[in-house]
Amino acid sequence: MKRTALQRKLNIIIFGHDTPSGKTFDLVLIWLIVISVLLVMLETVSWIEQEWGEWLIMIEWGFTVVFTLEYLVRIYVTERRWAYIRSFYGIVDLLSILPTYLGLFFTDARYLLIVRVLRVLRVFRVLKLVQYMSEANILVRSMKMSRRKIFVFFSTVLVLSTIFGSLMYIVEGPEHGFTSIPKSIYWTIVTITTVGYGDITPHTVMGQFIASAAMLTGYSIIAVPTGILTAELASEMQKERTQIVCPNCHHAGHESDAFHCKHCGSDLGRRS
Amino acid sequence: MKRTALQRKLNIIIFGHDTPSGKTFDLVLIWLIVISVLLVMLETVSWIEQEWGEWLIMIEWGFTVVFTLEYLVRIYVTERRWAYIRSFYGIVDLLSILPTYLGLFFTDARYLLIVRVLRVLRVFRVLKLVQYMSEANILVRSMKMSRRKIFVFFSTVLVLSTIFGSLMYIVEGPEHGFTSIPKSIYWTIVTITTVGYGDITPHTVMGQFIASAAMLTGYSIIAVPTGILTAELASEMQKERTQIVCPNCHHAGHESDAFHCKHCGSDLGRRS
Amino acid sequence: MKRTALQRKLNIIIFGHDTPSGKTFDLVLIWLIVISVLLVMLETVSWIEQEWGEWLIMIEWGFTVVFTLEYLVRIYVTERRWAYIRSFYGIVDLLSILPTYLGLFFTDARYLLIVRVLRVLRVFRVLKLVQYMSEANILVRSMKMSRRKIFVFFSTVLVLSTIFGSLMYIVEGPEHGFTSIPKSIYWTIVTITTVGYGDITPHTVMGQFIASAAMLTGYSIIAVPTGILTAELASEMQKERTQIVCPNCHHAGHESDAFHCKHCGSDLGRRS
Amino acid sequence: MKRTALQRKLNIIIFGHDTPSGKTFDLVLIWLIVISVLLVMLETVSWIEQEWGEWLIMIEWGFTVVFTLEYLVRIYVTERRWAYIRSFYGIVDLLSILPTYLGLFFTDARYLLIVRVLRVLRVFRVLKLVQYMSEANILVRSMKMSRRKIFVFFSTVLVLSTIFGSLMYIVEGPEHGFTSIPKSIYWTIVTITTVGYGDITPHTVMGQFIASAAMLTGYSIIAVPTGILTAELASEMQKERTQIVCPNCHHAGHESDAFHCKHCGSDLGRRS
């Protein structure tokens, strides 16, 4: 497929982020997304809905038209159409315009509500900007590096919650709000994560004793994810800092006390 | 005792984790355990119990028969029978089938439930053997290394809770829910761990002042277990990384992606 | 503008912090500020207001006169008047005396109160200059270094809150307290930060499940700011320590108690 | 003052911790303390008091006689009597026996209660053991090293609480439970430390917005004490590990990559 000059030009503006016009486009878009998400939220506040309801619907249609145009232009200018349409952001882009159109067919208040609220998913599009920041990259890389430790950690938390939850179900019983094991597990998670709503609380001495044990457990295992991520982040940040590149094989990531490239062995020219 | 070929073959499948059949067995077992634990939980939800109660009992018997067979086969194929039966997982395996049989004689099902939930502990047996082993090892080793620091920390927390609890009992008194020192200590643990149910709260100015002090104390000592574990984890992870020593100059501390010694430049003999 | 000897002398006392008289002035000032802020607070307690109201007003006027004099003297003795008046602390100094005078004309005391409480900000001026400076500097520098990571982190938290809040609004609905998306987002922040007031709680099974997911999410991402700051702080503190370089072999990284280079043994010239 | 053989012998048992008899004495004492503290707690539980009250008083007198004897013997055997009596543990030892005797004179239930509960201070004596553990030493040293950073941190938390508390007092007002600034500050501390009782909660949209800001602030500054302590602990633990002592000047604390003593410059004999 031969691409026209217009397509190429628009492609740089819409998908690029390095040119001034590309940056302006990104900035305008992100503000439109944030405002449209705020509007969806305000629509659910009853007194705003009653007083400004018609205006909000009109503005919503405005946004939908703009986002629809943007979606169509994106498809028009991109080189690999299906790749875009099936990508994460392609689907989010479609999901952010679909609900308004669906609202024309579903008029049952309950379904309409869900459809309308789904527009809040647009907020995911803001994340697009995040990927261009190296800070986010370090965070994401650290989390990826420690994902297996985190998995082991969460398995332990879930097993602990199951045991504590079942214990509390037996000790406290339905008369104190622990009506079933799943509900007791909900209570255990509320307790172990130190959220502590207080909608269900232990009333027996034994229950309060077990609850205290669960809290202290939660209080100490809160240390585990922090420890994992901190250790990983510290080593990632150190690597970032020591971006010494080998003059021979261009291998980067040497430590600050290295004289020789650890990959090809040639001198880094750093001997003082 | 001479072992038959069947015993040896089954032993590899049931206790081994490296062969394809051993892995499949583990995977099937873990799903059976998870589903059976979920069933025990659902049994406690009253409307599910009422509607599907008979089905759940039948499925439960199915699981019990399967787990009983598994337990007997395990005893049959293992070389050291008593060692298995008296081991932690051997006892858990027995405890996970016993309640259903006991349920025929004892009808107070409530206390038997908790024992059945213990099945979930068997998840650890399968988990620990798969690919997550080294990650779990680092975590467990770090916790073992810091267990005495953690003990000192918990002693301090308990002493603090006793002091704060007694103070609040005097200041607030039974009329504001602090009916006894043990209950006040329960409140102090709820507060220091930042759980904060709100089932008991200070009402006097003095009580709110002491509570604020307790919260700020809890807020700062939350740092201690995190600090201990992070420091230990960081050094464990570093150790993991620095097991590579240069055969020429004996300089240690090479990163896992190094082929050449960063000090003298000689080959580390690690090229894959 | 020619400055008199009096101006220079007062300048050292009021703006300086190294001379004995300057230190005494700082100490007296910090106590006056703390006491005056405490008074403003006590004024809002109804029974104190009723019993001691007139005394409090008189003392308040005393403080206002003292702070007004201080403000005028500061303007009088400083070399660059406009720079001081327009500086952050210059404005805080003015704001801390204005409300009492404005109180003569405006009688709604409630809104003036907050401005008077701002006096507490002046504590920072004195604090930052005394002996705690280098400690505060490390903290502030670490936070500045990690401000972009913190920004990425907060964006993620806000996006997550929006998604979780909207979900809960659909699942729980107005009949369980989730009356609008903004209120649901407030609930999500209360949950994710593990505060957990319990003024709004999920009542449906689905809602409790989503809430549990939100809690566990919050519980793990609590690790992120801690990890970021710890890694940054550790490297800042290490930098502080490793500013000493050997004059002979240029080996850096000596500890603060080192007299000899640990690499070549030559004197570091740091013996006190 | 000439000390008898008995005094010297008892001194080793009572104040020493290295001989078998000294260790046995410590162990017996610590159990007596823990049991006596538990008794004080149980006394405050009304149904236990009613049923076993007379027994508890008798046992309490038994403990008091034992502790009184121990206190007198301590004074008798120690070399420097006043130094012991005025020391922290000397005062705790006295405070742990005084209340029972005072109970003979004060019969007014309210004062008697306070006097009785004061016996719980005995728990401090358990801390004695802690000081002999090197783990506790590292913790205490790390906290001492970072005490100035912690002070700066707490000043900031208090100033923030004052500002947020005053804001909420104005925004929410007495009609929503924020009856005075001190109470609002109590609420702010409950919120910032993520305790979240829910006894006072914001009801206006503006108040919920400010509360969310306070929570997110608290959520991020929870990182600060953790970061400070972790960084300090990590460096303390590293020092502990590298206990290489100079053969010439006996200076310890060399790092693992040191060839020369950093104090006197002599060779450590560690060149490989």
Side-chain angles (χ1 to χ4, degrees), chain A residues 148-149 162 166 170 173 181 185 187 191 194-197 219-220 226-227 232 255 259-260 262-265, chain B residues 41 44 110 114 117 131 135 154 186 190 193-197 218 222 226 230 237 255 257 259-260 262:
Chain A
R148 289 171 74 182
K149 283 196 205 68
T162 310
S166 310
I170 290 171
I181 292 189
I185 289 175
W187 172 88
T191 299
T194 77
V195 171
Y197 285 134
Y219 195 60
S220 11
T226 306
E232 208 66 68
E255 278 186 278
F259 295 140
H260 283 272
K262 63 187 173 185
H263 195 74
C264 70
Chain B
M41 289 181 193
T44 66
R110 201 133 150 261
I114 177 69
V117 166
Q131 64 207 107
E135 263 73 22
F154 269 114
Y186 159 71
V190 169
T193 55
T194 77
V195 171
Y197 286 133
I222 213 170
T226 306
T230 302
M237 278 164 69
E255 280 185 276
D257 61 340
F259 293 140
H260 282 272
K262 64 186 172 186

Short mmCIF file of all heavy atoms in Angstrom, two decimals, chain A residues 148-149 162 166 170 173 181 185 187 191 194-197 219-220 226-227 232 255 259-260 262-265, chain B residues 41 44 110 114 117 131 135 154 186 190 193-197 218 222 226 230 237 255 257 259-260 262:
data_model
loop_
_atom_site.label_atom_id
_atom_site.label_comp_id
_atom_site.label_asym_id
_atom_site.label_seq_id
_atom_site.Cartn_x
_atom_site.Cartn_y
_atom_site.Cartn_z
N ARG A 148 8.49 -12.91 40.41
CA ARG A 148 8.37 -14.26 40.95
C ARG A 148 8.41 -14.26 42.46
O ARG A 148 7.69 -15.01 43.11
CB ARG A 148 9.46 -15.15 40.38
CG ARG A 148 9.20 -15.44 38.89
CD ARG A 148 10.35 -16.11 38.24
NE ARG A 148 10.46 -17.51 38.63
CZ ARG A 148 11.44 -18.31 38.20
NH1 ARG A 148 12.37 -17.83 37.43
NH2 ARG A 148 11.46 -19.56 38.59
N LYS A 149 9.24 -13.36 43.03
CA LYS A 149 9.23 -13.23 44.50
C LYS A 149 7.87 -12.73 44.96
O LYS A 149 7.35 -13.18 45.97
CB LYS A 149 10.33 -12.25 44.93
CG LYS A 149 11.72 -12.84 44.91
CD LYS A 149 12.66 -11.98 45.71
CE LYS A 149 14.07 -12.18 45.21
NZ LYS A 149 14.25 -11.64 43.83
N THR A 162 -6.59 -17.68 54.23
CA THR A 162 -7.51 -18.81 54.29
C THR A 162 -7.51 -19.43 55.69
O THR A 162 -8.57 -19.67 56.27
CB THR A 162 -7.12 -19.88 53.25
OG1 THR A 162 -6.95 -19.24 51.99
CG2 THR A 162 -8.17 -20.95 53.14
N SER A 166 -10.65 -19.06 58.29
CA SER A 166 -11.40 -20.24 58.76
C SER A 166 -11.40 -20.29 60.28
O SER A 166 -12.44 -20.59 60.90
CB SER A 166 -10.75 -21.51 58.21
OG SER A 166 -10.54 -21.40 56.83
N ILE A 170 -14.78 -20.13 62.85
CA ILE A 170 -15.13 -21.09 63.91
C ILE A 170 -15.21 -20.38 65.25
O ILE A 170 -16.14 -20.62 66.03
CB ILE A 170 -14.08 -22.22 63.95
CG1 ILE A 170 -14.24 -23.09 62.71
CG2 ILE A 170 -14.23 -23.04 65.22
CD1 ILE A 170 -13.15 -24.08 62.53
N GLY A 173 -17.94 -17.01 64.65
CA GLY A 173 -19.23 -17.53 64.19
C GLY A 173 -20.14 -16.47 63.60
O GLY A 173 -19.88 -15.27 63.70
N ILE A 181 -17.03 -18.56 55.49
CA ILE A 181 -15.57 -18.50 55.35
C ILE A 181 -15.15 -17.44 54.33
O ILE A 181 -14.24 -16.67 54.60
CB ILE A 181 -14.98 -19.89 55.02
CG1 ILE A 181 -15.15 -20.81 56.24
CG2 ILE A 181 -13.50 -19.78 54.68
CD1 ILE A 181 -14.43 -22.13 56.12
N ILE A 185 -12.58 -14.52 55.17
CA ILE A 185 -11.34 -14.26 54.43
C ILE A 185 -11.29 -12.78 54.03
O ILE A 185 -10.23 -12.15 54.11
CB ILE A 185 -11.24 -15.19 53.21
CG1 ILE A 185 -10.96 -16.61 53.71
CG2 ILE A 185 -10.14 -14.74 52.25
CD1 ILE A 185 -10.94 -17.65 52.62
N TRP A 187 -12.58 -10.41 55.75
CA TRP A 187 -12.18 -9.74 56.99
C TRP A 187 -10.68 -9.88 57.22
O TRP A 187 -10.01 -8.92 57.61
CB TRP A 187 -12.95 -10.32 58.18
CG TRP A 187 -12.45 -9.81 59.49
CD1 TRP A 187 -12.85 -8.67 60.13
CD2 TRP A 187 -11.43 -10.39 60.31
NE1 TRP A 187 -12.14 -8.52 61.30
CE2 TRP A 187 -11.26 -9.55 61.42
CE3 TRP A 187 -10.63 -11.53 60.19
CZ2 TRP A 187 -10.33 -9.83 62.43
CZ3 TRP A 187 -9.71 -11.80 61.19
CH2 TRP A 187 -9.57 -10.95 62.29
N THR A 191 -7.84 -7.02 57.55
CA THR A 191 -7.00 -6.90 58.75
C THR A 191 -5.51 -6.97 58.42
O THR A 191 -4.73 -6.15 58.87
CB THR A 191 -7.37 -8.01 59.76
OG1 THR A 191 -8.73 -7.85 60.12
CG2 THR A 191 -6.50 -7.93 60.99
N THR A 194 -3.84 -4.11 57.03
CA THR A 194 -3.96 -2.99 57.97
C THR A 194 -4.96 -1.94 57.50
O THR A 194 -4.86 -0.77 57.90
CB THR A 194 -2.61 -2.32 58.28
OG1 THR A 194 -2.24 -1.49 57.20
CG2 THR A 194 -1.52 -3.31 58.56
N VAL A 195 -5.93 -2.33 56.64
CA VAL A 195 -6.97 -1.37 56.24
C VAL A 195 -7.92 -1.16 57.43
O VAL A 195 -8.12 -0.04 57.88
CB VAL A 195 -7.74 -1.87 55.00
CG1 VAL A 195 -8.95 -0.99 54.74
CG2 VAL A 195 -6.83 -1.85 53.79
N GLY A 196 -8.52 -2.25 57.93
CA GLY A 196 -9.32 -2.17 59.15
C GLY A 196 -10.55 -1.31 59.07
O GLY A 196 -10.64 -0.30 59.75
N TYR A 197 -11.56 -1.70 58.24
CA TYR A 197 -12.78 -0.91 58.15
C TYR A 197 -13.51 -0.86 59.49
O TYR A 197 -14.05 0.16 59.87
CB TYR A 197 -13.74 -1.52 57.13
CG TYR A 197 -13.34 -1.29 55.71
CD1 TYR A 197 -13.37 -2.32 54.79
CD2 TYR A 197 -12.97 -0.03 55.28
CE1 TYR A 197 -13.02 -2.11 53.47
CE2 TYR A 197 -12.62 0.19 53.96
CZ TYR A 197 -12.65 -0.85 53.07
OH TYR A 197 -12.32 -0.63 51.78
N TYR A 219 1.58 -6.83 59.93
CA TYR A 219 2.50 -5.73 60.19
C TYR A 219 3.93 -6.11 59.81
O TYR A 219 4.69 -5.29 59.33
CB TYR A 219 2.44 -5.42 61.68
CG TYR A 219 3.04 -4.12 62.10
CD1 TYR A 219 2.56 -2.93 61.60
CD2 TYR A 219 4.08 -4.08 63.01
CE1 TYR A 219 3.09 -1.73 62.00
CE2 TYR A 219 4.62 -2.88 63.42
CZ TYR A 219 4.12 -1.71 62.92
OH TYR A 219 4.65 -0.53 63.32
N SER A 220 4.29 -7.40 60.03
CA SER A 220 5.66 -7.78 59.68
C SER A 220 5.78 -8.18 58.21
O SER A 220 6.79 -7.88 57.58
CB SER A 220 6.18 -8.92 60.56
OG SER A 220 5.19 -9.49 61.33
N THR A 226 8.09 -4.57 50.34
CA THR A 226 8.95 -3.40 50.40
C THR A 226 10.41 -3.81 50.27
O THR A 226 11.17 -3.24 49.49
CB THR A 226 8.75 -2.66 51.74
OG1 THR A 226 7.38 -2.37 51.88
CG2 THR A 226 9.55 -1.38 51.78
N GLY A 227 10.79 -4.84 51.04
CA GLY A 227 12.18 -5.30 50.99
C GLY A 227 12.56 -5.77 49.60
O GLY A 227 13.61 -5.39 49.07
N GLU A 232 15.67 -4.56 44.74
CA GLU A 232 15.72 -4.61 43.29
C GLU A 232 15.92 -3.21 42.71
O GLU A 232 16.75 -3.01 41.82
CB GLU A 232 14.40 -5.21 42.78
CG GLU A 232 14.49 -5.93 41.47
CD GLU A 232 15.35 -7.17 41.55
OE1 GLU A 232 14.96 -8.15 42.22
OE2 GLU A 232 16.42 -7.16 40.93
N GLU A 255 30.37 -1.69 36.06
CA GLU A 255 30.35 -1.08 37.38
C GLU A 255 31.44 -0.03 37.50
O GLU A 255 32.38 0.01 36.71
CB GLU A 255 30.52 -2.17 38.44
CG GLU A 255 29.20 -2.86 38.72
CD GLU A 255 29.33 -3.83 39.85
OE1 GLU A 255 29.78 -4.94 39.60
OE2 GLU A 255 28.99 -3.46 40.98
N PHE A 259 37.94 -1.85 35.16
CA PHE A 259 38.99 -1.35 34.27
C PHE A 259 38.84 -1.95 32.88
O PHE A 259 39.13 -1.33 31.88
CB PHE A 259 40.38 -1.71 34.82
CG PHE A 259 40.70 -1.02 36.12
CD1 PHE A 259 41.37 -1.69 37.13
CD2 PHE A 259 40.30 0.29 36.33
CE1 PHE A 259 41.65 -1.04 38.32
CE2 PHE A 259 40.58 0.93 37.53
CZ PHE A 259 41.26 0.26 38.52
N HIS A 260 38.38 -3.22 32.83
CA HIS A 260 38.24 -3.93 31.57
C HIS A 260 36.76 -4.17 31.27
O HIS A 260 35.97 -4.38 32.18
CB HIS A 260 38.96 -5.28 31.65
CG HIS A 260 40.44 -5.16 31.52
ND1 HIS A 260 41.08 -5.18 30.31
CD2 HIS A 260 41.41 -5.00 32.45
CE1 HIS A 260 42.38 -5.05 30.51
NE2 HIS A 260 42.61 -4.93 31.81
N LYS A 262 33.66 -6.13 30.72
CA LYS A 262 33.40 -7.46 31.22
C LYS A 262 32.89 -8.39 30.13
O LYS A 262 32.75 -9.58 30.34
CB LYS A 262 32.42 -7.42 32.40
CG LYS A 262 31.05 -6.89 32.09
CD LYS A 262 30.27 -6.76 33.38
CE LYS A 262 28.95 -6.06 33.13
NZ LYS A 262 28.23 -5.80 34.36
N HIS A 263 32.63 -7.82 28.94
CA HIS A 263 32.11 -8.64 27.86
C HIS A 263 33.23 -9.12 26.93
O HIS A 263 33.36 -10.31 26.68
CB HIS A 263 31.08 -7.84 27.07
CG HIS A 263 30.24 -8.68 26.17
ND1 HIS A 263 29.25 -9.48 26.65
CD2 HIS A 263 30.26 -8.87 24.83
CE1 HIS A 263 28.67 -10.12 25.64
NE2 HIS A 263 29.29 -9.77 24.53
N CYS A 264 34.06 -8.17 26.42
CA CYS A 264 35.09 -8.56 25.46
C CYS A 264 36.50 -8.47 26.05
O CYS A 264 37.46 -8.89 25.42
CB CYS A 264 35.00 -7.70 24.19
SG CYS A 264 35.49 -5.99 24.47
N GLY A 265 36.64 -7.90 27.23
CA GLY A 265 37.94 -7.88 27.88
C GLY A 265 38.86 -6.75 27.48
O GLY A 265 39.96 -6.63 28.02
N MET B 41 -15.16 -23.83 51.58
CA MET B 41 -15.56 -22.44 51.86
C MET B 41 -17.00 -22.19 51.46
O MET B 41 -17.77 -21.60 52.21
CB MET B 41 -14.67 -21.48 51.08
CG MET B 41 -13.26 -21.40 51.61
SD MET B 41 -12.35 -20.24 50.61
CE MET B 41 -10.70 -20.60 51.15
N THR B 44 -19.97 -23.06 53.62
CA THR B 44 -20.33 -22.24 54.78
C THR B 44 -21.24 -21.07 54.41
O THR B 44 -21.75 -20.39 55.29
CB THR B 44 -19.08 -21.68 55.47
OG1 THR B 44 -18.42 -20.78 54.58
CG2 THR B 44 -18.12 -22.78 55.86
N ARG B 110 -18.82 -27.87 62.34
CA ARG B 110 -18.13 -26.60 62.36
C ARG B 110 -16.63 -26.74 62.66
O ARG B 110 -15.80 -26.13 62.01
CB ARG B 110 -18.79 -25.71 63.42
CG ARG B 110 -18.53 -24.26 63.20
CD ARG B 110 -19.77 -23.42 63.30
NE ARG B 110 -19.43 -22.11 63.78
CZ ARG B 110 -19.56 -21.73 65.04
NH1 ARG B 110 -20.01 -22.55 65.95
NH2 ARG B 110 -19.23 -20.50 65.39
N ILE B 114 -12.34 -26.47 59.83
CA ILE B 114 -11.03 -25.84 59.86
C ILE B 114 -9.95 -26.83 59.46
O ILE B 114 -9.01 -26.49 58.75
CB ILE B 114 -10.74 -25.24 61.25
CG1 ILE B 114 -9.33 -24.65 61.32
CG2 ILE B 114 -10.89 -26.29 62.34
CD1 ILE B 114 -9.18 -23.42 60.51
N VAL B 117 -9.76 -27.23 55.81
CA VAL B 117 -9.15 -26.08 55.14
C VAL B 117 -7.64 -26.18 55.17
O VAL B 117 -6.95 -25.65 54.30
CB VAL B 117 -9.65 -24.77 55.80
CG1 VAL B 117 -8.80 -23.61 55.39
CG2 VAL B 117 -11.10 -24.52 55.43
N GLN B 131 9.50 -24.02 39.95
CA GLN B 131 10.50 -23.06 39.54
C GLN B 131 10.70 -21.91 40.52
O GLN B 131 11.64 -21.14 40.41
CB GLN B 131 10.14 -22.51 38.17
CG GLN B 131 8.82 -21.73 38.17
CD GLN B 131 8.16 -21.77 36.82
OE1 GLN B 131 7.16 -22.44 36.60
NE2 GLN B 131 8.75 -21.03 35.89
N GLU B 135 13.63 -18.29 44.47
CA GLU B 135 13.08 -17.03 44.98
C GLU B 135 12.63 -17.20 46.42
O GLU B 135 12.90 -16.38 47.28
CB GLU B 135 11.88 -16.59 44.12
CG GLU B 135 12.22 -15.59 43.06
CD GLU B 135 13.00 -16.25 41.93
OE1 GLU B 135 12.90 -17.48 41.78
OE2 GLU B 135 13.74 -15.55 41.22
N PHE B 154 9.63 -7.69 68.25
CA PHE B 154 8.31 -8.05 68.75
C PHE B 154 8.23 -7.93 70.27
O PHE B 154 7.18 -7.55 70.81
CB PHE B 154 7.91 -9.45 68.30
CG PHE B 154 7.18 -9.42 67.01
CD1 PHE B 154 7.73 -9.98 65.88
CD2 PHE B 154 5.95 -8.79 66.92
CE1 PHE B 154 7.05 -9.91 64.66
CE2 PHE B 154 5.27 -8.74 65.71
CZ PHE B 154 5.83 -9.30 64.58
N TYR B 186 -5.47 -5.20 73.27
CA TYR B 186 -6.03 -5.49 71.93
C TYR B 186 -6.20 -4.18 71.16
O TYR B 186 -5.78 -4.07 70.00
CB TYR B 186 -7.36 -6.22 72.08
CG TYR B 186 -8.27 -6.15 70.88
CD1 TYR B 186 -7.98 -6.84 69.72
CD2 TYR B 186 -9.43 -5.39 70.92
CE1 TYR B 186 -8.81 -6.77 68.62
CE2 TYR B 186 -10.27 -5.32 69.82
CZ TYR B 186 -9.96 -6.01 68.67
OH TYR B 186 -10.79 -5.92 67.58
N VAL B 190 -4.32 -2.97 67.70
CA VAL B 190 -5.10 -2.47 66.56
C VAL B 190 -4.59 -1.09 66.13
O VAL B 190 -4.51 -0.78 64.94
CB VAL B 190 -6.61 -2.40 66.91
CG1 VAL B 190 -7.37 -1.63 65.83
CG2 VAL B 190 -7.19 -3.79 67.05
N THR B 193 -0.47 -1.18 64.92
CA THR B 193 -0.28 -1.77 63.60
C THR B 193 -0.99 -0.97 62.51
O THR B 193 -1.01 -1.39 61.36
CB THR B 193 -0.81 -3.22 63.57
OG1 THR B 193 -2.17 -3.20 63.99
CG2 THR B 193 -0.01 -4.12 64.48
N THR B 194 -1.60 0.17 62.89
CA THR B 194 -2.33 1.06 61.97
C THR B 194 -3.54 0.36 61.32
O THR B 194 -3.97 0.80 60.26
CB THR B 194 -1.44 1.67 60.87
OG1 THR B 194 -1.19 0.70 59.87
CG2 THR B 194 -0.13 2.21 61.42
N VAL B 195 -4.06 -0.70 61.96
CA VAL B 195 -5.28 -1.32 61.43
C VAL B 195 -6.46 -0.39 61.70
O VAL B 195 -7.17 0.01 60.77
CB VAL B 195 -5.53 -2.71 62.04
CG1 VAL B 195 -6.89 -3.25 61.66
CG2 VAL B 195 -4.44 -3.68 61.58
N GLY B 196 -6.69 -0.04 62.98
CA GLY B 196 -7.69 0.96 63.32
C GLY B 196 -9.11 0.59 62.96
O GLY B 196 -9.73 1.26 62.14
N TYR B 197 -9.69 -0.45 63.61
CA TYR B 197 -11.08 -0.81 63.32
C TYR B 197 -12.04 0.31 63.68
O TYR B 197 -13.00 0.57 62.97
CB TYR B 197 -11.50 -2.03 64.15
CG TYR B 197 -10.93 -3.32 63.66
CD1 TYR B 197 -10.35 -4.21 64.53
CD2 TYR B 197 -10.98 -3.63 62.32
CE1 TYR B 197 -9.84 -5.41 64.08
CE2 TYR B 197 -10.46 -4.83 61.86
CZ TYR B 197 -9.90 -5.71 62.75
OH TYR B 197 -9.40 -6.88 62.30
N GLY B 218 3.71 3.73 66.39
CA GLY B 218 3.49 2.63 65.46
C GLY B 218 3.96 2.97 64.07
O GLY B 218 4.56 2.16 63.37
N ILE B 222 6.98 0.86 62.35
CA ILE B 222 6.67 0.05 61.17
C ILE B 222 7.91 -0.01 60.30
O ILE B 222 8.09 -0.93 59.49
CB ILE B 222 5.47 0.65 60.39
CG1 ILE B 222 4.66 -0.45 59.74
CG2 ILE B 222 5.91 1.66 59.35
CD1 ILE B 222 3.34 0.04 59.17
N THR B 226 10.68 -3.58 58.24
CA THR B 226 11.02 -3.31 56.85
C THR B 226 12.51 -3.11 56.68
O THR B 226 13.14 -3.69 55.80
CB THR B 226 10.27 -2.05 56.35
OG1 THR B 226 8.88 -2.23 56.60
CG2 THR B 226 10.50 -1.83 54.89
N THR B 230 14.81 -5.57 54.53
CA THR B 230 15.38 -5.01 53.31
C THR B 230 16.89 -5.13 53.32
O THR B 230 17.50 -5.56 52.33
CB THR B 230 14.98 -3.52 53.17
OG1 THR B 230 13.57 -3.43 53.16
CG2 THR B 230 15.54 -2.93 51.90
N MET B 237 20.71 -10.90 48.07
CA MET B 237 20.64 -10.82 46.62
C MET B 237 22.00 -10.49 46.02
O MET B 237 22.35 -10.94 44.95
CB MET B 237 19.61 -9.77 46.21
CG MET B 237 18.20 -10.33 46.24
SD MET B 237 16.96 -9.03 46.23
CE MET B 237 17.18 -8.40 44.57
N GLU B 255 29.17 -9.33 37.96
CA GLU B 255 27.74 -9.46 37.74
C GLU B 255 27.45 -10.68 36.88
O GLU B 255 28.34 -11.24 36.23
CB GLU B 255 27.21 -8.19 37.07
CG GLU B 255 26.99 -7.09 38.10
CD GLU B 255 26.36 -5.91 37.46
OE1 GLU B 255 27.08 -5.09 36.88
OE2 GLU B 255 25.14 -5.81 37.52
N ASP B 257 26.13 -11.04 34.10
CA ASP B 257 26.29 -10.96 32.66
C ASP B 257 27.74 -10.75 32.24
O ASP B 257 28.02 -10.36 31.11
CB ASP B 257 25.42 -9.83 32.10
CG ASP B 257 25.80 -8.48 32.66
OD1 ASP B 257 26.45 -8.44 33.72
OD2 ASP B 257 25.46 -7.46 32.04
N PHE B 259 31.55 -11.77 31.19
CA PHE B 259 32.35 -12.86 30.60
C PHE B 259 33.82 -12.71 30.99
O PHE B 259 34.54 -13.69 31.15
CB PHE B 259 32.24 -12.86 29.07
CG PHE B 259 30.86 -13.19 28.59
CD1 PHE B 259 30.29 -12.52 27.51
CD2 PHE B 259 30.12 -14.19 29.20
CE1 PHE B 259 29.03 -12.84 27.06
CE2 PHE B 259 28.85 -14.52 28.75
CZ PHE B 259 28.31 -13.84 27.69
N HIS B 260 34.26 -11.43 31.11
CA HIS B 260 35.65 -11.16 31.45
C HIS B 260 35.74 -10.55 32.84
O HIS B 260 34.83 -9.82 33.26
CB HIS B 260 36.25 -10.18 30.43
CG HIS B 260 36.62 -10.84 29.15
ND1 HIS B 260 37.83 -11.42 28.93
CD2 HIS B 260 35.90 -11.02 28.01
CE1 HIS B 260 37.86 -11.93 27.71
NE2 HIS B 260 36.70 -11.69 27.12
N LYS B 262 36.46 -7.91 35.42
CA LYS B 262 36.48 -6.46 35.23
C LYS B 262 37.74 -5.84 35.82
O LYS B 262 38.00 -4.66 35.62
CB LYS B 262 35.23 -5.82 35.83
CG LYS B 262 35.07 -5.96 37.32
CD LYS B 262 33.72 -5.41 37.74
CE LYS B 262 33.47 -5.71 39.21
NZ LYS B 262 32.13 -5.32 39.61
#
